[in-house]
Amino acid sequence: MTTNAPSTETVGLYGADASPDEQRAALREGRAPVAVYGMGKIGLPLALVYGETSGAVTGVDVDPERVAALADGNNPFEHEPGVSGLLSELVADGRFTSTTDGEAAAATARVHVIVVPTVIDGDDDPDLGALEAVTETVRSGLDPGDAVFVESTVPPGTCAEVIQPILTAGDREPGEFGLAHTPERTASGRALRDIRGSYPKVVGGVDAESGRVAALVYDEVSDNEVVRTDSARTAACVKLFEGVYRDVNIALANELATLTDAFDVDVIEAIEAANTQPYCDILTPGAGVGGHCIPYYPYFLLDGVADPAPLIRTARSVNELMPGFVVETLVDGLATDGPVEGATVALFGVAYRAGVPEARASPAIDVAHRLDRLGATVLAVDPILDELPEMPAERVDIDEITERDVDAAALVTAHEEFGHVDWRAFEREGPEGGRRGITVVDGRQALDLSETAHSVYTVGRGWR
């Protein structure tokens, strides 16, 4: 495949006199070069899809080791299908380059795409420090006619109230460049597929021309339709509403699961039957909600909101309490054998989601801290994480955990590998020669331990 290297004559898309077809051609031919700031788990696949489209993309990251790896065509996110092959192809063809020099990339780009992490601080307030720093970098090379797209999840109003003032500081004026929020709608493990068009792409500009340019560009990037909202603020709310919907729905499922004993029913069975009605779509309860998204979205949405918003806040509280429910249940199960203080507990799964090697906001971290405060020794097993996050636990290899003397176990993340663990190996000889099991809390309805002597509590099903 030939390289669509940008010519020395680059063109801006915002406020351009050229026709929409001519602007699309400029993007496809590399005459509107793109810089993507943030080569994380979403930024890299996004840059590669831009590379497929335009052939002139620079990936920017502050980590020199990551940039060096990318320059050699090495993918740091091996769990993402298709990324390794596409990265190698685009690097070889010169359609994707990488650098730590954000200012140099900004100086040559005409389309700037920001996709850096946004998190919350210790007071549950949005921390936009990384986003603001990257925006300063973009400003250093911003030219009239450029377009800036913010893919990062942000509180409503961030583009107009935070990003635009930074970009216009100095000699830039509003109306010289485009600025739009184009929220990512991407799940780990399926990034390329989602970016290419699993869902409609939402865009919203700070002005009408910004929205037009964003819609034009993403109509080329995505195979799905582009939904253009009336403003960047609305586009931000769309992404946050999606996350809060899931948070509230999961909270309902989790609260129902905690009432399993009171109802004296299998809540999972009841949910599955209820969901056969097309207007009912209750999600599955579990040990808690983690990741880069759902735990943060309610706080982004409510940033600066004086109204109490009790449903959103209560749902977040319910989900944040689920690790405590797991620990309380485990302690109750241990009570027949002795106190949790001094017990050894095997914690299965630290990644926030099965099969995804990331642990941000994982409920397993809270479970470990709670057990540690109660005086238990925690052994953490996770076959897909390179290292544990900061937590009070000893890491144990999955092939070695059955050799340890454990009193209880909690499954927090349902990695496929845990189905191959020899759970019978945790059984002990009983006082009269029989087999005696341990207490197991299954937080994901993932274990079939019916042929063991273990005392098993499944979240949403109760004790067996």
Side-chain angles (χ1 to χ4, degrees):
M1 186 178 293
T2 58
T3 301
N4 293 331
S7 68
T8 54
E9 283 282 333
T10 64
V11 297
L13 303 179
Y14 180 86
D17 293 330
S19 70
D21 286 343
E22 291 172 329
Q23 292 175 56
R24 290 189 182 94
L27 180 69
R28 291 194 300 268
E29 295 166 6
R31 291 183 287 114
V34 179
V36 178
Y37 304 84
M39 291 292 96
K41 67 186 183 73
I42 303 301
L44 174 59
L46 179 63
L48 297 180
V49 174
Y50 262 104
E52 290 180 311
T53 303
S54 73
V57 175
T58 301
V60 181
D61 201 273
V62 296
D63 184 346
E65 292 185 3
R66 176 166 295 180
V67 167
L70 294 176
D72 291 334
N74 296 323
N75 172 26
F77 307 107
E78 295 181 357
H79 67 285
E80 283 294 345
V83 168
S84 294
L86 183 58
L87 174 63
S88 297
E89 176 187 336
L90 297 184
V91 168
D93 287 350
R95 289 178 287 165
F96 172 84
T97 59
S98 54
T99 183
T100 57
D101 191 343
E103 293 188 355
T108 58
R110 304 309 305 266
V111 175
H112 309 264
V113 185
I114 302 175
V115 57
V116 294
T118 47
V119 295
I120 57 176
D121 61 21
D123 296 320
D124 293 336
D125 294 324
D127 181 354
L128 304 181
L131 180 67
E132 293 169 347
V134 168
T135 304
E136 295 275 4
T137 299
V138 171
R139 184 189 65 186
S140 71
L142 197 64
D143 290 320
D146 284 6
V148 180
F149 302 146
V150 179
E151 289 257 345
S152 304
T153 303
V154 295
T158 296
C159 279
E161 298 164 11
V162 178
I163 304 300
Q164 186 163 265
I166 294 175
L167 294 177
T168 55
D171 57 356
R172 293 274 76 87
E173 295 288 340
E176 292 185 5
F177 58 87
L179 174 59
H181 187 47
T182 59
E184 57 90 4
R185 308 177 95 182
T186 309
S188 295
R190 46 179 293 163
L192 287 178
R193 178 172 52 171
D194 287 350
I195 293 166
R196 286 168 173 154
S198 292
Y199 319 105
K201 180 64 179 179
V202 174
V203 304
V206 298
D207 55 45
E209 175 65 0
S210 295
R212 182 199 70 80
V213 172
L216 180 144
V217 170
Y218 278 97
D219 191 48
E220 293 297 310
V221 171
S222 173
D223 295 329
N224 211 316
E225 67 174 311
V226 176
V227 176
R228 181 178 168 185
T229 65
D230 69 343
S231 67
R233 178 183 290 271
T234 303
C237 282
V238 169
K239 178 61 185 282
L240 297 177
F241 287 4
E242 293 169 5
V244 168
Y245 164 77
R246 287 182 57 81
D247 202 35
V248 171
N249 195 319
I250 293 169
L252 171 61
N254 282 338
E255 186 161 284
L256 292 173
T258 64
L259 299 174
T260 297
D261 295 335
F263 293 152
D264 193 24
V265 298
D266 183 327
V267 167
I268 302 299
E269 181 184 5
I271 287 175
E272 291 172 350
N275 285 348
T276 61
Q277 216 280 0
Y279 300 108
C280 187
D281 185 23
I282 304 172
L283 298 179
T284 305
V289 182
H292 298 252
C293 303
I294 295 177
Y296 303 110
Y297 289 172
Y299 301 111
F300 287 173
L301 186 63
L302 300 177
D303 181 48
V305 174
D307 295 329
L311 176 62
I312 296 172
R313 297 183 192 277
T314 300
R316 184 85 296 267
S317 176
V318 168
N319 289 332
E320 289 175 346
L321 289 173
M322 285 308 293
F325 177 77
V326 168
V327 172
E328 290 169 7
T329 304
L330 187 143
V331 170
D332 288 344
L334 272 172
T336 57
D337 294 327
V340 67
E341 184 175 6
T344 298
V345 180
L347 185 59
F348 286 85
V350 177
Y352 81 87
R353 202 177 89 194
V356 177
E358 301 168 28
R360 180 176 290 183
S362 170
I365 300 172
D366 191 9
V367 170
H369 279 285
R370 289 172 181 268
L371 288 170
D372 180 68
R373 288 195 295 268
L374 292 172
T377 298
V378 182
L379 308 179
V381 184
D382 197 297
I384 70 169
L385 286 180
D386 291 332
E387 59 184 25
L388 293 181
E390 185 175 344
M391 59 189 290
E394 174 192 349
R395 180 168 188 169
V396 179
D397 189 83
I398 189 172
D399 296 325
E400 299 175 357
I401 188 61
T402 54
E403 301 172 8
R404 304 295 291 267
D405 185 17
V406 303
D407 302 292
L411 184 138
V412 178
T413 311
H415 293 314
E416 180 182 353
E417 292 85 346
F418 295 152
H420 305 297
V421 171
D422 180 11
W423 288 88
R424 283 182 173 274
F426 295 117
E427 295 177 354
R428 307 166 182 172
E429 185 175 349
E432 299 179 0
R435 302 298 293 172
R436 181 166 60 90
I438 63 172
T439 296
V440 179
V441 177
D442 179 0
R444 300 295 175 186
Q445 307 89 40
L447 300 176
D448 180 4
L449 303 183
S450 58
E451 300 299 320
T452 71
H454 303 313
S455 177
V456 181
Y457 184 95
T458 302
V459 172
R461 296 194 190 278
W463 288 103
R464 176 193 65 78

